[in-house]
Amino acid sequence: SVHCAVELGAGTGFVGLCVSKVFPSLPVVLTDLPAAVKSLQKNVERNGCKETIVQELEWGSALPPSLLN
C-alpha cells in the first residue's frame, strides 16, 4: 500500500495538489529549491490541502529524515 506521495521539483505544486485533492487522507510532500518554497506553500494553503507539506530539497543533496520515515 502507498504511505505517502513525494513530488520532486514541484514548481507550482500542480501535480502534487491534484494528488492531494484526489486522495485527501494521503500525506503528500512537495519539494523544490529554496526560491520556490514560499509560493509553493501559499498554493498549498490556498487549496486547503491539510495533509500536504512543503519541504526544501535541492537535487543531489541528502534526503531529510522526514522523507525517509
Side-chain angles (χ1 to χ4, degrees):
S1 71
V2 177
H3 297 284
C4 73
V6 178
E7 183 178 5
L8 302 173
T12 62
F14 180 77
V15 172
L17 292 170
C18 288
V19 170
S20 185
K21 290 292 188 178
V22 172
F23 303 100
S25 63
L26 180 69
V28 176
V29 181
L30 306 178
T31 69
D32 212 318
L33 297 172
V37 168
K38 186 176 179 181
S39 62
L40 187 52
Q41 183 62 47
K42 284 183 182 179
N43 286 342
V44 168
E45 292 167 4
R46 285 183 188 129
N47 285 279
C49 298
K50 298 181 194 295
E51 293 295 323
T52 301
I53 62 170
V54 174
Q55 177 79 47
E56 184 179 306
L57 181 66
E58 294 190 32
W59 287 95
S61 63
L63 289 174
S66 62
L67 293 181
L68 299 174
N69 295 329

